[in-house]
Amino acid sequence: MDLKTFKLLHPIKYYKDYLENNIRPDGRELEELRPLAISFDVIKSANGSAIVKVGNTTIVCGIKAELTAPNPLEPQQGFLVPNVDLSPVCSSSYRPGPPCDEAQVYSQSLADAISNARCIDLQELCISPGKLVWCLYCDLICLDHDGCVLDAAIISLVAAFHTVKLPTIRYNSDTEETDADTSSLLPLTIHCVPVTTSFVMVSDRLMADPTTEEEKLASTTLTVTVSDGKMSFFNQSGGDPMDTATLKKCTECAIKRERSVKKMIQGMQKKASS
C-alpha cells in the first residue's frame, strides 16, 4: 500500500506515526506556526483593505464606510459589521448561495473577538448623537481554506483597520444635510491589535495553527485571542478537558504571535508613511 492510500484509509494512524516523533506531516513541530504574510491597500475602491496569508489559508478584507442613523438605544455609537464569506473558490466543501453555518459562526466569533478586545471604540464613529454615525461594513472573503480561517480573518481585519481613512463630515442638524470633505481624511483610531491563535488536540497531542486536515481529525479545538499581552477572548469546542498547564502553553504561544503580528503591522505602517 502506497503512502497516499494509507493516509486516505487510516488518517489518524497516519498522523499518529508522525506525532510520536513530535513532528507533523508538513514538517512542522507541534507548536510551530505557519509563515504569515500581510499586504495593505489591496482594494483601491474600499475605504480600507488588506490581504493575509497564513500558510495556504488566504483571506482578503475590504472595509466600506457608510453614513447611517444610530441605534435609538445606543445613540452615540456607530456600527461594525463583519461578514465572512466561504465560497466554492476557497474549497470544494462549500457551495454557492447563502452563508453556510460555518461562515456565520466565524462572523460572530470575529465580532465577539474584536468587541471584547475593545479594538475599535464605536463611540468614535459617532458624528452627531442620535442623528448620524459611521457604519463600517467589513467583508472578508476566504480565497483559500487550509485551516485557521478565524486566525487569518482577525489579522486581516485588524490590518485593514490600519488602512482606513474617513472623510471629515460636516452635519447640519437643522437641515439634516451632510457635507463630506474628502480632502481631509482621518485615520481610524485603533486601540489594540487582537490576534487569535488556534490549537487542536489530535491523538492526545496539542498542535498549534492546524491545517484543514488536522482540524478534521481534532477531538478538541481551542482558540485564544490576545490583545496587549492579555487574553481577551477564548473559545473551546470538543470533549477533551484542558488542564492548566496546557492552557498556559496555549496562551504563551498566542502572546508570542500577537507580539509578532503587531511588530509586522507597525513595520508596514512605518514603511507606508516614509
PDB file of all heavy atoms in Angstrom, residues 4 17 33 37 44-45 72 92 98 105 110 117 120 122-123 125 145 156-157 168 173 181 187 206 210 213 232 241 265:
ATOM      1  N   LYS A   4      -0.006   7.488   0.055  1.00  0.00           N
ATOM      2  CA  LYS A   4      -1.209   8.281  -0.208  1.00  0.00           C
ATOM      3  C   LYS A   4      -2.466   7.492   0.121  1.00  0.00           C
ATOM      4  O   LYS A   4      -3.409   8.016   0.722  1.00  0.00           O
ATOM      5  CB  LYS A   4      -1.215   8.737  -1.676  1.00  0.00           C
ATOM      6  CG  LYS A   4      -2.318   9.726  -2.010  1.00  0.00           C
ATOM      7  CD  LYS A   4      -2.195  10.215  -3.437  1.00  0.00           C
ATOM      8  CE  LYS A   4      -3.268  11.240  -3.767  1.00  0.00           C
ATOM      9  NZ  LYS A   4      -3.147  11.723  -5.169  1.00  0.00           N
ATOM     10  N   ASP A  17       1.618   8.353  13.661  1.00  0.00           N
ATOM     11  CA  ASP A  17       3.006   7.932  13.415  1.00  0.00           C
ATOM     12  C   ASP A  17       3.949   9.132  13.413  1.00  0.00           C
ATOM     13  O   ASP A  17       5.088   9.047  13.880  1.00  0.00           O
ATOM     14  CB  ASP A  17       3.112   7.170  12.093  1.00  0.00           C
ATOM     15  CG  ASP A  17       2.444   5.798  12.165  1.00  0.00           C
ATOM     16  OD1 ASP A  17       2.192   5.326  13.289  1.00  0.00           O
ATOM     17  OD2 ASP A  17       2.164   5.217  11.097  1.00  0.00           O
ATOM     18  N   LEU A  33       4.152  27.609  14.184  1.00  0.00           N
ATOM     19  CA  LEU A  33       3.156  28.295  13.361  1.00  0.00           C
ATOM     20  C   LEU A  33       3.615  28.361  11.913  1.00  0.00           C
ATOM     21  O   LEU A  33       4.814  28.350  11.628  1.00  0.00           O
ATOM     22  CB  LEU A  33       2.931  29.718  13.892  1.00  0.00           C
ATOM     23  CG  LEU A  33       2.541  29.849  15.368  1.00  0.00           C
ATOM     24  CD1 LEU A  33       2.419  31.321  15.740  1.00  0.00           C
ATOM     25  CD2 LEU A  33       1.241  29.120  15.656  1.00  0.00           C
ATOM     26  N   ALA A  37       1.982  36.304   5.999  1.00  0.00           N
ATOM     27  CA  ALA A  37       2.245  37.426   5.091  1.00  0.00           C
ATOM     28  C   ALA A  37       1.049  38.374   5.115  1.00  0.00           C
ATOM     29  O   ALA A  37      -0.109  37.931   5.123  1.00  0.00           O
ATOM     30  CB  ALA A  37       2.499  36.922   3.673  1.00  0.00           C
ATOM     31  N   LYS A  44      -8.538  49.127  -4.055  1.00  0.00           N
ATOM     32  CA  LYS A  44      -8.475  50.586  -4.167  1.00  0.00           C
ATOM     33  C   LYS A  44      -9.830  51.262  -4.007  1.00  0.00           C
ATOM     34  O   LYS A  44      -9.906  52.431  -3.614  1.00  0.00           O
ATOM     35  CB  LYS A  44      -7.855  50.976  -5.513  1.00  0.00           C
ATOM     36  CG  LYS A  44      -6.423  50.472  -5.695  1.00  0.00           C
ATOM     37  CD  LYS A  44      -5.516  50.916  -4.571  1.00  0.00           C
ATOM     38  CE  LYS A  44      -4.095  50.383  -4.729  1.00  0.00           C
ATOM     39  NZ  LYS A  44      -3.232  50.754  -3.571  1.00  0.00           N
ATOM     40  N   SER A  45     -10.914  50.544  -4.289  1.00  0.00           N
ATOM     41  CA  SER A  45     -12.245  51.145  -4.194  1.00  0.00           C
ATOM     42  C   SER A  45     -12.807  51.122  -2.772  1.00  0.00           C
ATOM     43  O   SER A  45     -13.860  51.694  -2.507  1.00  0.00           O
ATOM     44  CB  SER A  45     -13.220  50.414  -5.130  1.00  0.00           C
ATOM     45  OG  SER A  45     -13.309  49.036  -4.779  1.00  0.00           O
ATOM     46  N   PRO A  72     -31.415  53.605  18.198  1.00  0.00           N
ATOM     47  CA  PRO A  72     -32.014  54.514  19.190  1.00  0.00           C
ATOM     48  C   PRO A  72     -31.596  54.198  20.624  1.00  0.00           C
ATOM     49  O   PRO A  72     -31.557  55.094  21.479  1.00  0.00           O
ATOM     50  CB  PRO A  72     -33.518  54.288  18.998  1.00  0.00           C
ATOM     51  CG  PRO A  72     -33.648  53.806  17.586  1.00  0.00           C
ATOM     52  CD  PRO A  72     -32.426  52.992  17.325  1.00  0.00           C
ATOM     53  N   SER A  92     -13.708  23.051  -2.199  1.00  0.00           N
ATOM     54  CA  SER A  92     -14.818  22.334  -2.835  1.00  0.00           C
ATOM     55  C   SER A  92     -15.868  21.894  -1.818  1.00  0.00           C
ATOM     56  O   SER A  92     -16.936  21.395  -2.183  1.00  0.00           O
ATOM     57  CB  SER A  92     -14.287  21.102  -3.583  1.00  0.00           C
ATOM     58  OG  SER A  92     -13.581  20.249  -2.690  1.00  0.00           O
ATOM     59  N   PRO A  98     -26.557  31.245   0.077  1.00  0.00           N
ATOM     60  CA  PRO A  98     -26.499  31.976   1.345  1.00  0.00           C
ATOM     61  C   PRO A  98     -25.333  31.503   2.201  1.00  0.00           C
ATOM     62  O   PRO A  98     -24.834  30.387   2.015  1.00  0.00           O
ATOM     63  CB  PRO A  98     -27.844  31.619   2.013  1.00  0.00           C
ATOM     64  CG  PRO A  98     -28.718  31.128   0.904  1.00  0.00           C
ATOM     65  CD  PRO A  98     -27.810  30.498  -0.098  1.00  0.00           C
ATOM     66  N   VAL A 105     -20.775  31.347  11.973  1.00  0.00           N
ATOM     67  CA  VAL A 105     -20.068  31.187  13.246  1.00  0.00           C
ATOM     68  C   VAL A 105     -18.781  32.008  13.239  1.00  0.00           C
ATOM     69  O   VAL A 105     -18.453  32.695  14.218  1.00  0.00           O
ATOM     70  CB  VAL A 105     -19.758  29.699  13.519  1.00  0.00           C
ATOM     71  CG1 VAL A 105     -18.796  29.564  14.701  1.00  0.00           C
ATOM     72  CG2 VAL A 105     -21.036  28.925  13.789  1.00  0.00           C
ATOM     73  N   LEU A 110     -15.700  36.527  15.102  1.00  0.00           N
ATOM     74  CA  LEU A 110     -14.869  37.680  14.724  1.00  0.00           C
ATOM     75  C   LEU A 110     -15.387  38.946  15.409  1.00  0.00           C
ATOM     76  O   LEU A 110     -14.614  39.719  15.985  1.00  0.00           O
ATOM     77  CB  LEU A 110     -14.890  37.832  13.204  1.00  0.00           C
ATOM     78  CG  LEU A 110     -14.008  38.895  12.566  1.00  0.00           C
ATOM     79  CD1 LEU A 110     -12.551  38.655  12.889  1.00  0.00           C
ATOM     80  CD2 LEU A 110     -14.215  38.891  11.054  1.00  0.00           C
ATOM     81  N   ALA A 117     -11.957  42.747  22.840  1.00  0.00           N
ATOM     82  CA  ALA A 117     -10.629  43.375  22.928  1.00  0.00           C
ATOM     83  C   ALA A 117     -10.716  44.897  22.967  1.00  0.00           C
ATOM     84  O   ALA A 117      -9.732  45.569  23.264  1.00  0.00           O
ATOM     85  CB  ALA A 117      -9.769  42.934  21.749  1.00  0.00           C
ATOM     86  N   ILE A 120     -11.841  48.734  18.533  1.00  0.00           N
ATOM     87  CA  ILE A 120     -12.427  49.958  17.984  1.00  0.00           C
ATOM     88  C   ILE A 120     -13.476  50.480  18.962  1.00  0.00           C
ATOM     89  O   ILE A 120     -14.328  49.724  19.414  1.00  0.00           O
ATOM     90  CB  ILE A 120     -13.094  49.686  16.617  1.00  0.00           C
ATOM     91  CG1 ILE A 120     -12.080  49.144  15.615  1.00  0.00           C
ATOM     92  CG2 ILE A 120     -13.760  50.951  16.082  1.00  0.00           C
ATOM     93  CD1 ILE A 120     -10.980  50.111  15.240  1.00  0.00           C
ATOM     94  N   LEU A 122     -16.694  52.238  19.339  1.00  0.00           N
ATOM     95  CA  LEU A 122     -17.812  52.579  18.455  1.00  0.00           C
ATOM     96  C   LEU A 122     -18.307  54.006  18.661  1.00  0.00           C
ATOM     97  O   LEU A 122     -18.911  54.595  17.758  1.00  0.00           O
ATOM     98  CB  LEU A 122     -18.962  51.583  18.653  1.00  0.00           C
ATOM     99  CG  LEU A 122     -18.655  50.118  18.293  1.00  0.00           C
ATOM    100  CD1 LEU A 122     -19.888  49.245  18.493  1.00  0.00           C
ATOM    101  CD2 LEU A 122     -18.164  50.009  16.849  1.00  0.00           C
ATOM    102  N   GLN A 123     -18.044  54.572  19.834  1.00  0.00           N
ATOM    103  CA  GLN A 123     -18.460  55.965  20.067  1.00  0.00           C
ATOM    104  C   GLN A 123     -17.650  56.938  19.205  1.00  0.00           C
ATOM    105  O   GLN A 123     -18.126  58.029  18.893  1.00  0.00           O
ATOM    106  CB  GLN A 123     -18.314  56.312  21.549  1.00  0.00           C
ATOM    107  CG  GLN A 123     -19.316  55.590  22.441  1.00  0.00           C
ATOM    108  CD  GLN A 123     -19.357  56.149  23.855  1.00  0.00           C
ATOM    109  OE1 GLN A 123     -18.700  57.144  24.155  1.00  0.00           O
ATOM    110  NE2 GLN A 123     -20.140  55.511  24.711  1.00  0.00           N
ATOM    111  N   LEU A 125     -17.107  56.537  16.223  1.00  0.00           N
ATOM    112  CA  LEU A 125     -17.716  56.523  14.891  1.00  0.00           C
ATOM    113  C   LEU A 125     -18.970  57.397  14.839  1.00  0.00           C
ATOM    114  O   LEU A 125     -19.651  57.453  13.825  1.00  0.00           O
ATOM    115  CB  LEU A 125     -18.089  55.084  14.489  1.00  0.00           C
ATOM    116  CG  LEU A 125     -16.926  54.086  14.383  1.00  0.00           C
ATOM    117  CD1 LEU A 125     -17.458  52.699  14.030  1.00  0.00           C
ATOM    118  CD2 LEU A 125     -15.926  54.541  13.331  1.00  0.00           C
ATOM    119  N   HIS A 145      -8.820  27.950   1.709  1.00  0.00           N
ATOM    120  CA  HIS A 145      -9.079  27.446   3.055  1.00  0.00           C
ATOM    121  C   HIS A 145      -8.166  26.256   3.349  1.00  0.00           C
ATOM    122  O   HIS A 145      -8.338  25.180   2.803  1.00  0.00           O
ATOM    123  CB  HIS A 145     -10.556  27.025   3.167  1.00  0.00           C
ATOM    124  CG  HIS A 145     -10.997  26.670   4.558  1.00  0.00           C
ATOM    125  ND1 HIS A 145     -10.154  26.153   5.510  1.00  0.00           N
ATOM    126  CD2 HIS A 145     -12.210  26.771   5.155  1.00  0.00           C
ATOM    127  CE1 HIS A 145     -10.822  25.940   6.626  1.00  0.00           C
ATOM    128  NE2 HIS A 145     -12.071  26.310   6.435  1.00  0.00           N
ATOM    129  N   SER A 156      -6.439  39.837   9.212  1.00  0.00           N
ATOM    130  CA  SER A 156      -6.796  40.580   8.003  1.00  0.00           C
ATOM    131  C   SER A 156      -7.648  41.802   8.342  1.00  0.00           C
ATOM    132  O   SER A 156      -7.425  42.897   7.813  1.00  0.00           O
ATOM    133  CB  SER A 156      -7.545  39.656   7.033  1.00  0.00           C
ATOM    134  OG  SER A 156      -7.959  40.350   5.882  1.00  0.00           O
ATOM    135  N   LEU A 157      -8.626  41.619   9.240  1.00  0.00           N
ATOM    136  CA  LEU A 157      -9.498  42.730   9.614  1.00  0.00           C
ATOM    137  C   LEU A 157      -8.721  43.825  10.345  1.00  0.00           C
ATOM    138  O   LEU A 157      -8.851  45.009  10.031  1.00  0.00           O
ATOM    139  CB  LEU A 157     -10.645  42.213  10.496  1.00  0.00           C
ATOM    140  CG  LEU A 157     -11.627  43.259  11.029  1.00  0.00           C
ATOM    141  CD1 LEU A 157     -12.263  44.040   9.884  1.00  0.00           C
ATOM    142  CD2 LEU A 157     -12.705  42.599  11.886  1.00  0.00           C
ATOM    143  N   THR A 168     -13.789  63.920   6.538  1.00  0.00           N
ATOM    144  CA  THR A 168     -14.373  64.765   7.580  1.00  0.00           C
ATOM    145  C   THR A 168     -15.815  65.097   7.187  1.00  0.00           C
ATOM    146  O   THR A 168     -16.070  65.529   6.055  1.00  0.00           O
ATOM    147  CB  THR A 168     -13.562  66.060   7.747  1.00  0.00           C
ATOM    148  OG1 THR A 168     -12.212  65.715   8.099  1.00  0.00           O
ATOM    149  CG2 THR A 168     -14.163  66.948   8.823  1.00  0.00           C
ATOM    150  N   SER A 173     -27.646  69.890  11.727  1.00  0.00           N
ATOM    151  CA  SER A 173     -28.757  69.241  12.433  1.00  0.00           C
ATOM    152  C   SER A 173     -30.107  69.855  12.096  1.00  0.00           C
ATOM    153  O   SER A 173     -31.149  69.200  12.236  1.00  0.00           O
ATOM    154  CB  SER A 173     -28.537  69.304  13.950  1.00  0.00           C
ATOM    155  OG  SER A 173     -28.385  70.645  14.379  1.00  0.00           O
ATOM    156  N   ASP A 181     -15.870  66.166   3.377  1.00  0.00           N
ATOM    157  CA  ASP A 181     -14.633  66.796   2.917  1.00  0.00           C
ATOM    158  C   ASP A 181     -13.592  65.699   2.673  1.00  0.00           C
ATOM    159  O   ASP A 181     -12.914  65.247   3.590  1.00  0.00           O
ATOM    160  CB  ASP A 181     -14.132  67.785   3.970  1.00  0.00           C
ATOM    161  CG  ASP A 181     -12.888  68.536   3.508  1.00  0.00           C
ATOM    162  OD1 ASP A 181     -12.455  68.317   2.353  1.00  0.00           O
ATOM    163  OD2 ASP A 181     -12.335  69.315   4.313  1.00  0.00           O
ATOM    164  N   PRO A 187      -7.570  58.995   9.912  1.00  0.00           N
ATOM    165  CA  PRO A 187      -7.386  57.559  10.125  1.00  0.00           C
ATOM    166  C   PRO A 187      -8.272  57.050  11.247  1.00  0.00           C
ATOM    167  O   PRO A 187      -8.683  57.810  12.134  1.00  0.00           O
ATOM    168  CB  PRO A 187      -5.903  57.451  10.495  1.00  0.00           C
ATOM    169  CG  PRO A 187      -5.571  58.773  11.096  1.00  0.00           C
ATOM    170  CD  PRO A 187      -6.410  59.778  10.361  1.00  0.00           C
ATOM    171  N   LEU A 206      -1.228  18.177  21.478  1.00  0.00           N
ATOM    172  CA  LEU A 206      -1.640  19.542  21.188  1.00  0.00           C
ATOM    173  C   LEU A 206      -0.856  20.092  20.008  1.00  0.00           C
ATOM    174  O   LEU A 206       0.376  20.001  19.973  1.00  0.00           O
ATOM    175  CB  LEU A 206      -1.408  20.424  22.418  1.00  0.00           C
ATOM    176  CG  LEU A 206      -1.816  21.892  22.288  1.00  0.00           C
ATOM    177  CD1 LEU A 206      -3.337  22.024  22.280  1.00  0.00           C
ATOM    178  CD2 LEU A 206      -1.221  22.714  23.440  1.00  0.00           C
ATOM    179  N   PRO A 210      -3.471  24.626  13.163  1.00  0.00           N
ATOM    180  CA  PRO A 210      -3.750  23.412  12.394  1.00  0.00           C
ATOM    181  C   PRO A 210      -4.170  23.685  10.953  1.00  0.00           C
ATOM    182  O   PRO A 210      -4.762  24.717  10.644  1.00  0.00           O
ATOM    183  CB  PRO A 210      -4.903  22.764  13.161  1.00  0.00           C
ATOM    184  CG  PRO A 210      -5.611  23.930  13.797  1.00  0.00           C
ATOM    185  CD  PRO A 210      -4.520  24.891  14.173  1.00  0.00           C
ATOM    186  N   GLU A 213      -6.785  19.442   7.319  1.00  0.00           N
ATOM    187  CA  GLU A 213      -6.745  18.020   7.656  1.00  0.00           C
ATOM    188  C   GLU A 213      -6.677  17.816   9.162  1.00  0.00           C
ATOM    189  O   GLU A 213      -7.367  16.955   9.715  1.00  0.00           O
ATOM    190  CB  GLU A 213      -5.533  17.352   6.991  1.00  0.00           C
ATOM    191  CG  GLU A 213      -5.675  17.130   5.497  1.00  0.00           C
ATOM    192  CD  GLU A 213      -4.491  16.383   4.919  1.00  0.00           C
ATOM    193  OE1 GLU A 213      -3.440  16.315   5.603  1.00  0.00           O
ATOM    194  OE2 GLU A 213      -4.616  15.843   3.806  1.00  0.00           O
ATOM    195  N   SER A 232      -8.079  38.095  25.697  1.00  0.00           N
ATOM    196  CA  SER A 232      -9.307  38.891  25.642  1.00  0.00           C
ATOM    197  C   SER A 232     -10.506  38.077  25.157  1.00  0.00           C
ATOM    198  O   SER A 232     -11.649  38.488  25.329  1.00  0.00           O
ATOM    199  CB  SER A 232      -9.103  40.096  24.717  1.00  0.00           C
ATOM    200  OG  SER A 232      -8.743  39.677  23.405  1.00  0.00           O
ATOM    201  N   PRO A 241     -10.943  17.684  28.093  1.00  0.00           N
ATOM    202  CA  PRO A 241     -10.668  18.757  29.057  1.00  0.00           C
ATOM    203  C   PRO A 241      -9.244  19.279  28.888  1.00  0.00           C
ATOM    204  O   PRO A 241      -8.336  18.532  28.541  1.00  0.00           O
ATOM    205  CB  PRO A 241     -10.846  18.062  30.410  1.00  0.00           C
ATOM    206  CG  PRO A 241     -10.554  16.620  30.139  1.00  0.00           C
ATOM    207  CD  PRO A 241     -11.020  16.356  28.734  1.00  0.00           C
ATOM    208  N   ILE A 265       2.797  44.687  11.590  1.00  0.00           N
ATOM    209  CA  ILE A 265       1.879  45.749  11.157  1.00  0.00           C
ATOM    210  C   ILE A 265       2.519  47.118  11.365  1.00  0.00           C
ATOM    211  O   ILE A 265       2.439  48.016  10.516  1.00  0.00           O
ATOM    212  CB  ILE A 265       0.528  45.635  11.890  1.00  0.00           C
ATOM    213  CG1 ILE A 265      -0.249  44.413  11.392  1.00  0.00           C
ATOM    214  CG2 ILE A 265      -0.301  46.906  11.683  1.00  0.00           C
ATOM    215  CD1 ILE A 265      -1.561  44.176  12.103  1.00  0.00           C
TER     216      ILE A 265
END
